[in-house]
């Protein structure tokens, strides 16, 4: 799965823009509601903005030129239609907030990194994983395995795979803990060695001057 196979995140908002001609006619500021689109790669930070209608027309042309997949453009149009109907968010894929493999806290961290679907998490770049924080790489591996399992026999296989991943993570954690314990024991032995030597050494006798 390649990153360019996933559509960018698109959100819309309405802004009040001054209508210069009307302002001149009326002698005071006049505003018009204009829809804008914000485009950002999944997991990215750079945002491109444009007037929604202009941008959507450009996407239609890009489809005809073969620069944008038709499926992406259909997603953009569904997102805009949902916005016009009341702002209901459209997710292209399996929504992270419905992905029970991740805990609620993990879901929140993923969404805050601007990754809204399991499909986007599976192909997220390193900088996006860094934004998620600890355990991001394991979550990405889970997403990839979960998507592969979804193509197979079904939910039961996905559940078994998830348990296998958790077992591997647990074994890896136990191994790291054992290494840490061994390291502590080694350090304690090193710290205790001088003390043992001091205990085996006879105490120094003070010099006594005899008076005659």
């Amino acid at each position: 799965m390649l990153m360019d196979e996933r559509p960018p995140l698109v959100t819309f908002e309405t802004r009040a823009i001054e209508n210069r001609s009307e302002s001149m006619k009326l002698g005071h500021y006049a505003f018009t509601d204009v829809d804008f689109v914000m485009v950002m790669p999944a997991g990215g930070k750079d945002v491109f903005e444009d007037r929604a209608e202009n941008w959507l027309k450009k996407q239609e042309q890009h489809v005809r030129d073969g620069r944008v997949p038709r499926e992406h453009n259909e997603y953009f149009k569904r997102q805009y239609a949902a916005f016009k109907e009341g702002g209901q968010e459209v997710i292209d894929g399996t929504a992270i907030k419905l992905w029970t493999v991740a805990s609620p806290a993990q879901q929140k961290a993923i969404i805050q990194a601007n990754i809204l679907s399991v499909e986007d998490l599976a192909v997220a770049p390193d900088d996006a994983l860094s934004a998620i924080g600890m355990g991001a790489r394991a979550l990405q591996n889970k997403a990839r395995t979960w998507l592969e399992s979804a193509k197979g026999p079904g939910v039961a296989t996905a559940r078994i795979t998830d348990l296998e991943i958790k077992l591997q993570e647990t074994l890896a954690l136990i191994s790291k803990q054992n290494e840490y314990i061994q390291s502590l024991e080694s350090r304690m032995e090193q710290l205790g060695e001088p003390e043992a030597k001091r205990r085996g050494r006879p105490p120094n006798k003070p010099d006594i001057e005899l008076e005659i």
Side-chain angles (χ1 to χ4, degrees), residues 32-192:
T32 302
D33 288 340
V34 179
D35 293 337
F36 277 79
V37 62
M38 282 71 68
V39 186
M40 178 171 53
K45 298 180 180 178
D46 297 331
V47 181
F48 170 79
E49 297 185 358
D50 196 0
R51 292 183 180 239
E53 291 186 1
N54 294 342
W55 185 80
L56 290 170
K57 288 180 181 178
K58 292 177 184 176
Q59 302 315 302
E60 293 284 356
Q61 184 60 49
H62 291 336
V63 170
R64 289 192 289 270
D65 295 340
R67 298 171 58 187
V68 171
R70 185 171 299 279
E71 294 79 8
H72 289 194
N73 193 46
E74 293 300 320
Y75 160 66
F76 301 148
K77 291 191 290 186
R78 290 198 308 271
Q79 187 83 320
Y80 185 55
F83 166 76
K84 297 298 287 184
E85 291 173 3
Q88 182 65 34
E89 186 178 58
V90 176
I91 304 297
D92 183 62
T94 303
I96 289 295
K97 58 186 177 183
L98 301 178
W99 190 48
T100 56
V101 173
S103 69
Q106 290 172 329
Q107 291 176 359
K108 183 177 180 180
I110 296 169
I111 292 171
Q112 287 180 339
N114 295 318
I115 297 175
L116 305 183
S117 71
V118 180
E119 288 79 359
D120 286 333
L121 174 60
V123 295
D126 289 341
D127 55 348
L129 296 181
S130 298
I132 294 174
M134 185 177 297
R137 184 68 64 183
L139 285 170
Q140 184 176 68
N141 290 336
K142 287 183 179 181
R144 291 173 176 174
T145 304
W146 188 86
L147 290 171
E148 287 298 321
S149 299
K151 300 176 183 178
V155 178
T157 302
R159 178 61 178 164
I160 292 172
T161 303
D162 181 45
L163 291 174
E164 290 176 346
I165 292 174
K166 288 182 179 179
L167 176 60
Q168 292 174 2
E169 292 177 350
T170 301
L171 293 175
L173 178 60
I174 292 174
S175 177
K176 288 183 179 180
Q177 289 176 339
N178 289 336
E179 291 177 1
Y180 181 67
I181 292 172
Q182 292 176 358
S183 175
L184 287 178
E185 290 177 346
S186 177
R187 290 178 60 186
M188 291 177 66
E189 290 177 358
Q190 292 175 2
L191 291 173

